[in-house]
Amino acid sequence: MDFPNIDVTRKLQLQDIIDGNQAGRQVLEYPLNNREYPARIIFKVIPNQSATLAGVAKDLVEGSQSILANVTKTVEDAPEDQSPETAVALSASQGLKEFHKEAVSLYGDVREEAAYDESTDKTTHQVSLYLPTAIAVSDAAQYDNVELGVIGGVAEQALQQGKSVLRETGGAFYGMAANEIGAFTGRGSSMGSGMADILAQKRASKLGEIGQSAALGMQAASKVTTNPNTRAMFKDTPLRTFSFSFSLIPTSAKESVEIKKIVKLFRTELYPSVLSAGKVRVGYKFPNRFKIQLKSGMRNAKSNDDMNVKFLPTYLTAFSATYNANSPLLHTDGSFNQVDIAMSFSETRALTKADVRDGGY
């Protein structure tokens, strides 16, 4: 089917709707009429590819049986002068060596993870809506304040200068211990007064409540205190979250039906499936994810790359629909004259440097 006098992007959207409906999946959009502004935000459902644990459980059982058989054989083949306990210990030791080998082969080749590959996403239902205003995209990183202390500070300097951490921190530890005692007992005259005061405070603080009180008194009198060597330590990057809101006002009976389908699809995909044993609910299957795309609808535009905003697969975490926010009136068929919807999404994992640098997320 051909659509004359329509830009290329719109042709593709219409063809997608036809193909989707022919394939038995829902391809919904709003508005159906008045398409003066072509920019769109598209939500595509990514069906979960469930992995069964039956095979894993089978492997675990077979692995346990193999280990038991090896231990039994080790005990049976042990020399007469060797106790069963010793034979089992030797068998366990051998097992640990094998495990160590596997761990090295698994984790030995550590490298930066590549950017997310969206080409593997298989989608079904989709909803195409007008591009909303104020799309907020925030990036963040989490850091903890960590006190290295004196020994930690020495270790940091040793690493930065390419020295042996064990040698440097070991020497610092024993030197500090000896100097603390010397400063506390008055035999620290070879040290600077400030250092002697600090070490005396450290030694006193280790002598129970009375010593801690004495250390505070020393600190107040000498006007010298220890430097905790506080550093900002990277911890993690939080999941990005996004919120969108739309006002859906039907201008025809067909558009009113389309809005009802849109609301139902989002509400359906928010919820998990329930796993039951008889009449007892024993678990859930995760809800499906969404692939969110922005399309400008402009001629010569490439998909959503021209808009410089991309999203990893997301879960729909909240959805609300407000009916007739501005008027109590209904259409002649009993449908609402306005439906305002609001949605919140959370990406399924945290972004990485490669996602931003190479994937454009």
Side-chain angles (χ1 to χ4, degrees), residues 167-300:
R167 183 175 67 249
E168 295 294 324
T169 55
F173 175 78
Y174 289 113
M176 285 285 291
N179 287 331
E180 283 175 23
I181 296 171
F184 187 62
T185 57
R187 295 194 297 272
S189 57
S190 61
M191 292 178 288
S193 61
M195 189 61 186
D197 290 335
I198 289 174
L199 295 177
Q201 291 173 32
K202 286 176 62 65
R203 177 55 53 182
S205 66
K206 298 174 183 177
L207 302 178
E209 291 185 14
I210 295 177
Q212 291 172 8
S213 298
L216 291 174
M218 293 177 186
Q219 182 177 324
S222 65
K223 303 298 187 292
V224 176
T225 186
T226 57
N227 181 356
N229 277 320
T230 304
R231 299 289 188 274
M233 293 289 189
F234 174 76
K235 181 181 179 182
D236 198 2
T237 51
L239 301 178
R240 296 195 303 174
T241 58
F242 309 96
S243 296
F244 307 102
S245 59
F246 306 88
S247 185
L248 312 181
I249 302 174
T251 58
S252 65
K254 185 178 180 182
E255 207 165 56
S256 179
V257 172
E258 192 84 350
I259 291 172
K260 291 176 184 177
K261 290 180 179 179
I262 289 171
V263 171
K264 185 172 183 179
L265 188 144
F266 279 121
R267 293 187 62 231
T268 300
E269 297 302 336
L270 180 144
Y271 285 96
S273 300
V274 176
L275 301 176
S276 299
K279 294 184 179 181
V280 179
R281 294 183 173 185
V282 295
Y284 295 106
K285 288 187 69 175
F286 281 23
N288 292 325
R289 298 170 297 160
F290 279 90
K291 181 176 185 177
I292 303 176
Q293 292 179 300
L294 304 182
K295 293 189 177 182
S296 68
M298 306 298 289
R299 294 179 184 274
N300 302 321

Side-chain angles (χ1 to χ4, degrees), residues 322-341:
T322 303
Y323 299 94
N324 280 10
N326 300 313
S327 168
L329 299 178
L330 301 175
H331 287 286
T332 54
D333 62 354
S335 61
F336 294 102
N337 66 42
Q338 180 178 347
V339 182
D340 297 327
I341 61 175

Side-chain angles (χ1 to χ4, degrees), residues 53-225:
L53 298 181
V56 177
K58 181 174 179 290
D59 291 341
L60 287 173
V61 171
E62 291 178 352
S64 300
Q65 291 173 342
S66 175
I67 292 172
L68 181 60
N70 287 337
V71 171
T72 303
K73 188 174 185 307
T74 302
V75 173
E76 290 175 349
D77 296 345
E80 293 183 0
D81 59 344
Q82 188 180 87
S83 68
E85 291 80 8
T86 302
V88 170
L90 290 172
S91 176
S93 175
Q94 183 60 33
L96 284 174
K97 289 179 183 177
E98 294 299 323
F99 174 78
H100 176 70
K101 253 200 245 179
E102 290 180 8
V104 169
S105 65
L106 182 61
Y107 299 110
D109 186 18
V110 177
R111 64 183 65 188
E112 182 182 356
E113 182 178 322
Y116 180 78
D117 182 11
E118 63 178 356
S119 66
T120 60
D121 293 334
K122 306 300 181 185
T123 61
T124 55
H125 313 302
Q126 76 173 48
V127 177
S128 176
L129 301 173
Y130 63 86
L131 188 70
T133 59
I135 299 176
V137 180
S138 300
D139 296 285
Q142 296 176 341
Y143 287 81
D144 286 338
N145 291 339
V146 177
E147 295 182 0
L148 298 182
V150 176
I151 299 298
V154 171
E156 180 187 38
Q157 290 297 318
L159 277 172
Q160 290 175 348
Q161 297 172 13
K163 297 178 180 178
S164 168
V165 174
L166 285 177
R167 183 175 67 249
E168 295 294 324
T169 55
F173 175 78
Y174 289 113
M176 285 285 291
N179 287 331
E180 283 175 23
I181 296 171
F184 187 62
T185 57
R187 295 194 297 272
S189 57
S190 61
M191 292 178 288
S193 61
M195 189 61 186
D197 290 335
I198 289 174
L199 295 177
Q201 291 173 32
K202 286 176 62 65
R203 177 55 53 182
S205 66
K206 298 174 183 177
L207 302 178
E209 291 185 14
I210 295 177
Q212 291 172 8
S213 298
L216 291 174
M218 293 177 186
Q219 182 177 324
S222 65
K223 303 298 187 292
V224 176
T225 186

